């Protein structure tokens, strides 16, 4: 209980500032300096309570990236016009920080109409929590001079958003939700004195549904961030996404719901709770609309509950950004509420929908049951990887999915029937179409049993290094097989790098090897439960030009921030701020990444000199192969200077 209270009390410090969006807001103007030389001045307003760094800071310097002038040239290096505050940092070292405002400038020699472009990198920190930001600018020299709009280079989770939207729409066709359609339309037909009033209530009905799904999640996240800041919020997200307890619990829940969907038993919320909500819908005005929305949310729980859980777990484990679960739940709830809102606006649309209670509703329920089984094993797989149980190697996981979706295909063709199914006397076109899709998916997965990379599923599968049998070692995923001599005796040999790469899982070992080899270090801040990490490895690392650089030009070290391996006492890491002792590999690596490079999410990639100095700014999730090659090359260029 003490630990829980400690986490909760630590969890709410930086949300207010992070919720502001960009922590450094930039503006720019141009001053003439004579002889076709212009001074481009950038002013950054820093969020209250945060500080950023000078252009000359050793680790977190503010930096002009890729500056270029079309129609002119740069004159000298960028410089500071503001004066930093000198103070002692948490490590007792003299530091120079900017609070409230930072002003930097770059001289340009150019004709009127020239365009100065580039990116300003900043790292803003408070209480040990930091946020890296990128501001893209485009400044025209001369009469039309104006600052470009800021563009934050963060990987927005479009895949999760799309998945959440599709699930939201799909929920309408489930047997828990569809029967609510006539009730909704009836409520709005008889409960409004005018068309305008009815449509206003319909709009509020949709808004209440969205709020009931989104606000509890948003409040929980915001409260925890205000209590403890980003680092503790990330720890909680990491715990939910990777600890065996929540993952096994979600696995069991998914299996129970699947059994219910197959017809073994019914899962419903307590009837008294639903009845109280339904009774409240008889109230006049917006109170009745709210209770009608609450009734829908409660009644639909048995179908939406596991899907909501799956969406949230994927969101929290995606890349550590605190707002992603809120945005994905917002997308889900809007899609879920939209059909009900439209039907409340236009009740006549109901006649185009089939009455509830038909056999097709049970078919939807059974299909969801098969999907629940497949999704449920993802949670068991995460626990298996982080604790090294060895239960679900890649081929075992694939075998389960292949069998599961094969059975789904046969069910759609009417070859399998459950207790509540009607007899399928003929196969309809929609059933046949779905069966073709499902069996095509099965055929796609089968080569994975022999080592095919299955890039489309890379984020959901256990790593290919867990596979016992690979038909050929000649494919792209196995190009690099030679083990360099410097890896002998590495710690944590139960961990593996993808694509046959050889490397380390301990930073000190990697730095020692780099000094001997005279190479820079490539640090992969990763996690077993990180979907985006697996996608990066499958889609970006597998490119020959990337593998060549990682194999020949870098010493590679992977720091798993969610691994539960218990460290030997001499390897324990002590938090210099709180005094906490981290005794497992994941928490120790998380502390290293957070304190050395201000990295609090995965995947992130850091390029270091053999002395541990950062060569270039950190790179996060980005599926551009060319961009990753440029990133690796920029590290080599900085190392060779």
């Amino acid at each position: 209980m003490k630990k829980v209270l400690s986490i909760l009390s630590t969890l709410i410090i930086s949300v207010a500032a992070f919720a502001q969006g960009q922590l450094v807001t930039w503006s720019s103007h141009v001053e003439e300096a004579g002889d076709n030389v212009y001074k481009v001045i950038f002013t950054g307003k820093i969020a209250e309570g945060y500080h950023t760094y000078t252009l000359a800071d050793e680790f977190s310097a503010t930096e002009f990236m890729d500056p270029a002038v079309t129609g002119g040239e740069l004159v000298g290096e960028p410089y500071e016009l503001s004066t930093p505050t000198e103070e002692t940092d948490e490590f007792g070292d003299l530091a120079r920080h900017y609070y409230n405002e930072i002003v930097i400038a770059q001289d340009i020699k150019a004709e009127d109409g020239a365009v100065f472009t580039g990116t300003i990198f900043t790292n803003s920190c408070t209480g040990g929590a930091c946020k890296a930001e990128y501001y893209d600018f485009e400044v025209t020299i001369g009469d039309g001079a104006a600052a470009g709009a800021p563009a934050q280079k963060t990987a927005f989770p479009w895949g999760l958003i799309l998945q959440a939207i599709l699930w939201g729409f799909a929920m309408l066709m489930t047997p828990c939700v569809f029967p609510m359609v006539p009730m909704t339309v009836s409520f709005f037909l008889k409960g409004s004195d005018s068309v305008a009033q009815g449509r206003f209530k319909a709009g509020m009905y949709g808004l209440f549904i969205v709020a009931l799904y989104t606000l509890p999640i948003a409040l929980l996240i915001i409260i925890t961030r205000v209590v403890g800041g980003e680092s503790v919020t990330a720890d909680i997200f990491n715990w939910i996404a990777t600890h065996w307890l929540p993952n096994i619990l979600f696995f069991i829940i998914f299996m129970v719901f699947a059994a219910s969907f197959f017809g073994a038993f019914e899962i419903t919320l307590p009837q008294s709770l639903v009845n109280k909500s339904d009774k409240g819908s008889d109230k006049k005005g917006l109170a009745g609309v709210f209770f009608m929305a609450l009734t829908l949310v409660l009644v639909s729980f048995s179908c939406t509950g596991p899907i909501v859980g799956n969406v949230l777990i994927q969101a929290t484990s995606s890349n550590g950004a605190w707002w992603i679960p809120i945005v994905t739940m917002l997308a889900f709830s809007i899609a879920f509420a939209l059909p009900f809102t439209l039907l409340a606006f236009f009740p006549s649309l109901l006649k185009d929908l089939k009455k509830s209670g038909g056999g097709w509703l049970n078919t939807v329920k059974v299909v969801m049951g098969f999907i629940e089984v497949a999704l449920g094993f993802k949670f068991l797989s995460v626990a298996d990887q982080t604790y090294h149980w060895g239960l679900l190697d890649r081929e075992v996981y694939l075998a389960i999915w292949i069998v599961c979706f094969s059975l789904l295909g046969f069910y759609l063709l009417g070859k399998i029937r459950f207790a509540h199914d009607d007899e399928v006397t003929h196969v309809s076109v929609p059933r046949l179409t779905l069966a073709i899709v499902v069996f095509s998916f099965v055929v796609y997965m089968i080569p994975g049993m022999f080592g095919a990379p299955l890039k489309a599923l890379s984020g959901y599968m256990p790593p290919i290094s867990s596979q016992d049998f690979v038909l050929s070692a000649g494919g792209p995923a196995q190009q690099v097989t030679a083990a360099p001599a410097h890896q002998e005796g590495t710690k944590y040999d139960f961990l593996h790098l993808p694509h046959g790469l050889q490397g380390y899982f301990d930073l000190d070992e990697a730095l020692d090897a780099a000094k001997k080899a005279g190479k820079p270090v490539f640090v992969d801040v990763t996690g077993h439960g990180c979907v985006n990490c697996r996608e990066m490895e499958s889609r970006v690392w597998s490119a020959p030009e990337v593998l060549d650089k990682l194999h020949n030009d870098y010493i590679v070290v992977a720091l798993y921030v969610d691994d539960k391996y218990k460290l030997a006492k001499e390897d324990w890491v002590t938090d210099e701020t709180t005094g906490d002792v981290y005794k497992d590999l994941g928490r120790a690596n998380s502390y290293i990444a957070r304190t050395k490079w201000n990295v609090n999410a995965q995947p992130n990639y850091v390029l270091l000199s053999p002395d541990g100095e950062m060569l270039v700014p950190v790179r996060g999730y980005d599926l551009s192969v060319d961009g990753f090659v440029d990133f690796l090359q920029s590290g080599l260029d900085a190392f060779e200077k």
Side-chain angles (χ1 to χ4, degrees), residues 426-457:
H426 66 280
V427 178
S428 64
V429 172
R431 272 181 173 266
L432 179 61
T433 303
L434 284 174
I436 291 172
V437 171
V438 169
F439 279 121
S440 298
F441 182 53
V442 170
V443 171
Y444 170 78
M445 288 190 289
I446 289 174
M449 295 290 291
F450 310 102
L454 304 182
K455 290 186 179 181
L457 296 175

Side-chain angles (χ1 to χ4, degrees), residues 185 189 343 346-352:
V185 175
L189 279 175
L343 287 170
F346 310 106
S348 61
L349 293 175
L350 181 62
K351 66 183 180 182
D352 297 325

Side-chain angles (χ1 to χ4, degrees), residues 19 200 238 285 439 470 599:
F200 170 72
N238 182 274
F439 279 121
V470 176
V599 166

